[in-house]
Amino acid sequence: MRNVPPQATPEPLPEPLPGALAEPPSGPDVAARPASAHRDAGTSIGTGTKTGTGTRTVTGTRTVSGSTTVTGTRTGIGPDLWAVALAVLLVALAIGAGSALQREHGTLRVGWPPFFARWDPHLGPGSAAAVLLAVAVIAWGPPLAARLPWRRLLLTAWATAMAWTWSLALIDGWQRGAAQRLTTRYEYLREIGRFDDIGAALRGFTGHILLGSPDHWVPHVAGHPPGAILTFVGLDRAGLGGGAWAAAWCVTVGASAAVAVLVTVRALTGEERARSAAPFVVAAPAAVWVGVSADGYFTGVAAWSLALLALAATRKSRAPRATALAAGLLFGLTCYLSYGLTLCALLAGAVLVLARTARPLPYALTGAALVALAFTLTGFNWWEGYRLLTERYYQGAAAIRPYGYWVWANLACTAIVIGPATVAGLRRTLAGVPGAVGGLRRGGTRMPSHRNGPGDVHGTPPDDGPGSTHPLVLLVLAALLALLVADLSGMSKAETERIWLPLALWTLPAAALLPRPGARGWLCAQTALALVVNHLLLTGW
């Protein structure tokens, strides 16, 4: 949900600064089959036909090891491409209609509708590195994701996500793309000097939210609970003050969200699925907005709260109670970083439903309550802050930004943030909802065991089956629901490229539902989109 737009008078962009289905069938009969047999059969047991190049249709009844029988139809990439084409059409309509509205009425209050950016084709010191990194991810991402030991894969994912984010940010240059990004007149670093007495600042925090209040906060401080500004105050007190350190913090924590997603997907759906998702989560176009914005930092914190909850719920951690408590502490912090991220509770609920347990809940709630208690005892009232935020929101650009445009144009922005591979994966997600709901009712979401060996990088992903596809579909569906609530709320009119990052992140694993033979093509589309956006638009917040 949106926090606070720019002030009531028309304001430009921040001043232009100088310058990736169930575990594979197992057993002796299957293990004895050659890899080609797995590819031809799609790891399915049943009858059907294969038609066309790149298109496969398998129909009928398929029996998965155990007593569960799954019936369904799988198709090739044709419908996926149609989904991408519809997304392209949506973006084109948003650009065309938005440009006309802004030109005639000036009510959208963004520089290049529907994006909070301006048209500015440019190259920068990060251009060559971004292109080389994109080529490396396309060429080596899928095989490395399948073959690396799990822990090494996680470290590689984090390092690659950081390198991808930094290279994209540096396309805009060091100063304009990183060091000065969090120092503009809308940003947190402008208010650090007012927190010499943290207790007094928190007690009086809500008194400076409204535009008419004395010494009102700059938009981003006013639009968020004080957990956000206190983070940068803490960095400053630790000797890490200034825009460069703030940018490094946001990119480092934001890039770690990729690891959190893989940990969660592995805990809930199995290692095969997490490995399939890894390249797509790491090299998503969303990195354009992670670097550098505070919302990237929020994304990392929220993602790890869900990852720890998944580990506690599936008992994949050595100390599940302590892990659940830590998940609650991070969720509590998330709620004090951004009011709208309370919507992450929908994803947390989905994790518990998929794990079929409420055991972590008391510990997680305790952790969240401790964070809320700490802020309350220091004088900040979350509910009062949220009430005043909504008033401040409509004191600014939200008062004139048309809901009728943004309620669908926001979705166009999200399509760019998540990229074409995720859009195609979402098509498969929605197609799989009936089977996933049926599997949930039959108790078919048991947690799969984690395999130790590498995956089959040449075949299709593991088939639909209990314990794998259904949880992934439902997890992504929960993210879509959270995005829908945020969209319909009316508190998300524009700037959702960055504001929805913590929610949009959980749609990225949907790309794991795509056939593996086409993984490199989809990765090419993902990275190319990010490069085009970052080279043609100067994004702002």
Side-chain angles (χ1 to χ4, degrees):
M1 293 167 62
R2 179 63 186 120
N3 288 302
V4 162
Q7 318 230 14
T9 56
E11 294 177 339
L13 295 173
E15 48 267 353
L17 308 170
L21 302 179
E23 290 291 307
S26 60
D29 183 53
V30 176
R33 296 163 62 189
S36 60
H38 285 289
R39 291 195 295 272
D40 293 340
T43 67
S44 294
I45 303 172
T47 59
T49 59
K50 289 174 63 181
T51 59
T53 302
T55 301
R56 176 181 58 206
T57 302
V58 181
T59 61
T61 300
R62 176 162 45 82
T63 302
V64 184
S65 178
S67 59
T68 304
T69 299
V70 182
T71 303
T73 299
R74 296 177 65 190
T75 61
I77 66 170
D80 299 331
L81 296 179
W82 277 110
V84 173
L86 289 175
V88 171
L89 178 60
L90 179 65
V91 172
L93 288 174
I95 293 172
S99 298
L101 282 171
Q102 181 67 10
R103 183 170 54 250
E104 295 179 14
H105 306 289
T107 57
L108 298 187
R109 304 290 293 274
V110 293
W112 203 77
F115 302 101
F116 195 74
R118 71 165 183 258
W119 181 263
D120 183 18
H122 61 284
L123 296 173
S127 295
V131 172
L132 291 175
L133 191 58
V135 172
V137 171
I138 293 167
W140 297 305
L144 285 177
R147 294 168 182 161
L148 283 176
W150 178 249
R151 292 184 180 180
R152 192 180 301 173
L153 172 60
L154 295 182
L155 289 173
T156 302
W158 190 7
T160 305
M162 279 198 290
W164 178 237
T165 304
W166 273 119
S167 63
L168 290 173
L170 292 177
I171 290 173
D172 297 338
W174 170 248
Q175 294 295 333
R176 188 170 67 171
Q180 295 184 11
R181 180 68 79 170
L182 297 173
T183 64
T184 69
R185 59 195 178 103
Y186 305 118
E187 285 288 356
Y188 302 94
L189 270 61
R190 286 296 181 99
E191 302 285 21
I192 287 180
R194 296 171 63 179
F195 282 79
D196 290 336
D197 186 339
I198 293 178
L202 290 178
R203 288 191 295 272
F205 190 88
T206 56
H208 302 287
I209 293 178
L210 298 179
L211 282 178
S213 61
D215 298 322
H216 60 79
W217 301 117
V218 298
H220 283 185
V221 176
H224 297 80
I229 178 65
L230 287 180
T231 299
F232 298 107
V233 171
L235 287 174
D236 185 72
R237 297 277 177 91
L240 303 177
W245 284 112
W249 173 265
C250 291
V251 171
T252 302
V253 179
S256 75
V259 180
V261 169
L262 299 183
V263 168
T264 305
V265 173
R266 181 182 187 245
L268 295 174
T269 76
E271 194 169 311
E272 286 286 352
R273 191 64 57 211
R275 289 175 178 273
S276 296
F280 297 98
V281 175
V282 164
V288 172
W289 292 274
V290 171
V292 178
S293 75
D295 294 86
Y297 159 50
F298 304 164
T299 299
V301 175
W304 278 108
S305 73
L306 294 170
L308 293 178
L309 184 64
L311 290 175
T314 58
R315 306 188 75 80
K316 296 298 192 300
S317 68
R318 295 182 179 179
R321 294 177 182 177
T323 303
L325 180 64
L329 289 169
L330 287 181
F331 180 75
L333 176 58
T334 297
C335 294
Y336 280 84
L337 291 174
S338 173
Y339 296 103
L341 293 187
T342 51
L343 286 174
C344 287
L346 293 173
L347 284 157
V351 169
L352 296 178
V353 169
L354 293 173
R356 290 187 170 274
T357 183
R359 286 175 304 205
L361 193 56
Y363 305 97
L365 290 177
T366 298
L370 288 174
V371 175
L373 180 63
F375 276 97
T376 302
L377 290 178
T378 55
F380 174 72
N381 187 320
W382 191 96
W383 295 102
E384 177 71 3
Y386 180 72
R387 183 186 68 80
L388 292 171
L389 160 68
T390 57
E391 188 175 341
R392 166 83 182 253
Y393 184 57
Y394 285 99
Q395 285 181 327
I400 62 172
R401 281 175 172 164
Y403 179 87
Y405 171 78
W406 288 111
V407 74
W408 60 272
N410 285 337
L411 304 180
C413 291
T414 303
I416 296 296
V417 171
I418 64 179
T422 307
V423 170
L426 292 179
R427 200 274 317 166
R428 291 178 177 247
T429 297
L430 295 177
V433 168
V437 173
L440 184 63
R441 289 175 177 173
R442 292 190 301 268
T445 57
R446 61 175 176 81
M447 294 303 106
S449 60
H450 296 155
R451 65 161 185 84
N452 296 318
D456 176 11
V457 297
H458 303 294
T460 58
D463 286 331
D464 314 14
S468 187
T469 304
H470 298 162
L472 180 59
V473 167
L474 293 173
L475 180 65
V476 173
L477 192 62
L480 290 176
L481 178 60
L483 287 168
L484 181 62
V485 173
D487 192 33
L488 297 178
S489 71
M491 295 291 287
S492 295
K493 293 193 286 187
E495 304 178 56
T496 54
E497 307 95 282
R498 62 173 179 84
I499 298 169
W500 288 358
L501 280 174
L503 305 178
L505 173 76
W506 295 94
T507 66
L508 300 180
L513 299 175
L514 298 171
R516 287 183 186 167
R520 286 193 172 95
W522 288 114
L523 283 170
C524 184
Q526 292 285 90
T527 54
L529 177 59
L531 290 169
V532 168
V533 168
N534 218 137
H535 279 95
L536 295 183
L537 299 178
L538 180 61
T539 57
W541 35 83

